[in-house]
Amino acid sequence: MTARRASCSVRPEEAAKSRAVLLGVHTYQHLGALTGVRHNVPTLRNLLTAEDVGGLPDANCVSVPDDSGPNDFLDALNDAALEANHMLLVYYAGHGQIGGKDGRSLLLTTVKSRPGRPYHSALYENIDEVVAASRARHRIVILDCCFSGLAVRMGDELPSSEVEKVNFGIQGACVLTSAAGTERALCEADGSVFTRELTSILQDGLQGELHDGRRGESQAELTMGDIFSTLQIRLRGRVVEGYPVPQPRSFFEEHGHLIPIARNRAFTGNPPQRKWEDRRKGEKEQVRMVSIDAPRLRRKSGIRGLFGIRAEDSEEFQKVYSAHFKVMGEFESACADHKVGNKSIERRSNDLARKTEDGRWLVVGDNVAALAAAAERIYPGGLPGGGMYSGGSQSAVLPSPETATAYVVAAAKVMEQLKTLRGGRHPARPPRS
């Protein structure tokens, strides 16, 4: 398969506001050497700065020297966190230890680290505080070390739908680790097992069926959620020198699983196939398929343009449908207020923020985009509009009541944000000239 050459993953203005800080420690004064780790940072850095993968300028991707101390690492991270406005990425590979005041915290070791002297290591809580305080819209932490799962005690799995574990908050964040909090990561001579697989994904891109039925080659970007699920699949059941490879762990805050980290080199430019079928096989939520005779429903249901779903079956559908179009209608009206053209949601929110000099439009734009992505997952062909009704037998995927409720709650929060930014006007009320 011949892949289309992709442009950089972010626009130049976004790349200029993104930062990455990478540290890999492979030699130690008091701990065993990790020879393979010396390959990790150069390989990852080359991909993050490649024009057709990560697209970051060289100056914005800092490789901390491997003989640095914990304060050097934290200083570099603080500088990046202050400078980053679009994306902040932190990567560490080396020995991980358990320590801290509670004896249960993760320590990221440096060249002088040794048992009983935690001050030679970087306490993960300090790193987490710096990352959390950054104004970057997207924050990513990747840890490849023993016991790294201590950084993600709250969760190991992708959200079961785009809305059930998404808070639609201010910023997205993702923590991705190579092992659980009780497991040791594995390293070979040519690189650590986890990072080698991670860089393989960035190098080659994704193609074939993904965990939720989408096609990899139809995705222009590599999101953290897709990378995580692919790592889990590829590393599951693998054994290296008699030792089982740990399963990666993750924690996604807000819509962190949707964060794009790079372009997909396997992207062909072909649109994803649209099939009215359950693309969420194996998930906890049970999706119902309803196939109705459309002409009969036109006479009886009174619901036009909604793929012929019977009134008694359509409650969950109508909740999502109504909530979605209220939000999209309000956003479109806001764009019309400020004469913002018909571009992507992200570009329009950037234009709104610039014209109004109000950065909250960037947050709202992220939230509207997340809702649109959620609707796409609930209805793989997109929420239907009246013009799409063509008669005959049609099928529609109905969400569970739980998913519909989660979506409506999230949409209501976004509606409040939109109404606040538009001066409290009701979305049905046209703006005054």
Side-chain angles (χ1 to χ4, degrees):
M1 179 180 295
T2 301
R4 170 189 292 183
R5 179 175 173 82
S7 60
C8 63
S9 65
V10 292
R11 296 192 300 275
E13 62 270 23
E14 294 174 342
K17 298 176 182 178
S18 297
R19 297 291 186 274
V21 179
L22 318 177
L23 173 60
V25 185
H26 64 275
T27 58
Y28 292 87
Q29 295 179 4
H30 307 283
L31 303 173
L34 297 171
T35 307
V37 169
R38 74 180 187 274
H39 301 291
N40 289 10
V41 168
T43 304
L44 180 59
R45 188 182 187 282
N46 287 341
L47 290 165
L48 291 175
T49 57
E51 182 181 358
D52 63 337
V53 184
L56 294 180
D58 284 342
N60 292 10
C61 192
V62 177
S63 297
V64 180
D66 58 7
D67 59 353
S68 299
N71 289 340
D72 299 320
F73 182 35
L74 286 170
D75 281 341
L77 177 56
N78 268 282
D79 290 341
L82 290 171
E83 296 166 355
N85 198 5
H86 180 71
M87 181 183 75
L88 174 65
L89 185 150
V90 185
Y91 170 87
Y92 171 84
H95 282 299
Q97 294 182 333
I98 302 175
K101 293 181 180 179
D102 61 358
R104 299 175 56 201
S105 298
L106 177 64
L107 298 175
L108 307 181
T109 62
T110 65
V111 64
K112 293 184 179 180
S113 292
R114 61 196 300 183
R117 301 188 183 183
Y119 47 82
H120 287 306
S121 300
L123 184 66
Y124 176 73
E125 277 87 344
N126 293 336
I127 294 168
D128 183 60
E129 288 179 3
V130 175
V131 174
S134 173
R135 60 181 180 178
R137 295 170 63 192
H138 304 310
R139 294 159 290 161
I140 302 170
V141 177
I142 302 175
L143 304 176
D144 188 359
C145 61
C146 297
F147 318 121
S148 52
L150 289 172
V152 291
R153 295 173 183 172
M154 294 181 63
D156 294 337
E157 299 179 359
L158 281 169
S160 58
S161 78
E162 294 291 342
V163 293
E164 290 180 0
K165 294 184 181 179
V166 176
N167 296 327
F168 295 87
I170 295 177
Q171 297 168 326
C174 167
V175 180
L176 180 62
T177 74
S178 62
T182 57
E183 294 179 312
R184 296 183 179 275
L186 299 180
C187 185
E188 295 186 290
D190 58 348
S192 59
V193 176
F194 170 84
T195 296
R196 194 171 56 201
E197 199 62 53
L198 170 65
T199 54
S200 174
I201 294 173
L202 296 176
Q203 173 72 36
D204 301 329
L206 292 177
Q207 54 185 314
E209 186 171 343
L210 301 179
H211 70 284
D212 58 357
R214 290 173 297 124
R215 300 291 300 180
E217 64 272 16
S218 296
Q219 314 307 312
E221 296 175 315
L222 301 174
T223 65
M224 292 307 300
D226 286 343
I227 287 176
F228 168 61
S229 62
T230 302
L231 284 169
Q232 283 199 314
I233 292 170
R234 293 187 181 182
L235 296 176
R236 185 175 296 131
R238 188 180 298 186
V239 177
V240 172
E241 296 181 357
Y243 294 96
V245 175
Q247 278 283 279
R249 298 292 190 266
S250 69
F251 174 66
F252 298 103
E253 183 180 66
E254 292 141 11
H255 43 287
H257 57 297
L258 299 177
I259 296 175
I261 187 175
R263 295 289 296 183
N264 181 14
R265 276 181 165 170
F267 177 55
T268 62
N270 297 326
Q273 296 178 353
R274 304 299 190 188
K275 295 182 179 179
W276 292 103
E277 61 184 7
D278 180 10
R279 289 176 177 258
R280 293 169 289 172
K281 296 177 182 178
E283 293 186 4
K284 297 177 182 178
E285 180 187 26
Q286 296 298 313
V287 180
R288 292 179 294 143
M289 297 295 294
V290 179
S291 183
I292 304 298
D293 178 71
R296 177 174 61 84
L297 286 165
R298 276 202 300 268
R299 295 192 301 270
K300 295 185 177 181
S301 72
I303 302 175
R304 298 183 182 275
L306 298 184
F307 278 69
I309 300 173
R310 291 178 301 182
E312 60 267 30
D313 290 330
S314 67
E315 182 177 355
E316 287 78 31
F317 181 95
Q318 290 279 24
K319 286 179 181 178
V320 175
Y321 184 90
S322 299
H324 178 80
F325 282 100
K326 282 182 180 178
V327 171
M328 297 307 296
E330 175 74 351
F331 185 71
E332 295 292 341
S333 296
C335 291
D337 284 351
H338 299 284
K339 297 181 173 59
V340 171
N342 186 21
K343 308 171 184 176
S344 68
I345 292 174
E346 183 178 15
R347 291 183 64 185
R348 280 184 282 175
S349 63
N350 286 338
D351 287 348
L352 286 167
R354 185 176 64 255
K355 289 188 175 184
T356 62
E357 297 183 349
D358 190 338
R360 289 179 296 172
W361 280 112
L362 299 175
V363 177
V364 172
D366 281 349
N367 295 343
V368 173
L371 277 173
E376 173 66 20
R377 289 294 181 87
I378 296 172
Y379 301 98
L383 277 169
M388 297 178 66
Y389 186 82
S390 59
S393 293
Q394 296 277 4
S395 296
V397 182
L398 301 185
S400 69
E402 293 77 16
T403 296
T405 299
Y407 190 100
V408 171
V409 169
K413 293 179 180 178
V414 179
M415 282 293 295
E416 287 302 314
Q417 293 174 325
L418 283 162
K419 289 168 65 177
T420 298
L421 287 176
R422 294 191 68 207
R425 290 194 297 272
H426 190 278
R429 186 180 303 162
R432 295 180 181 177
S433 57

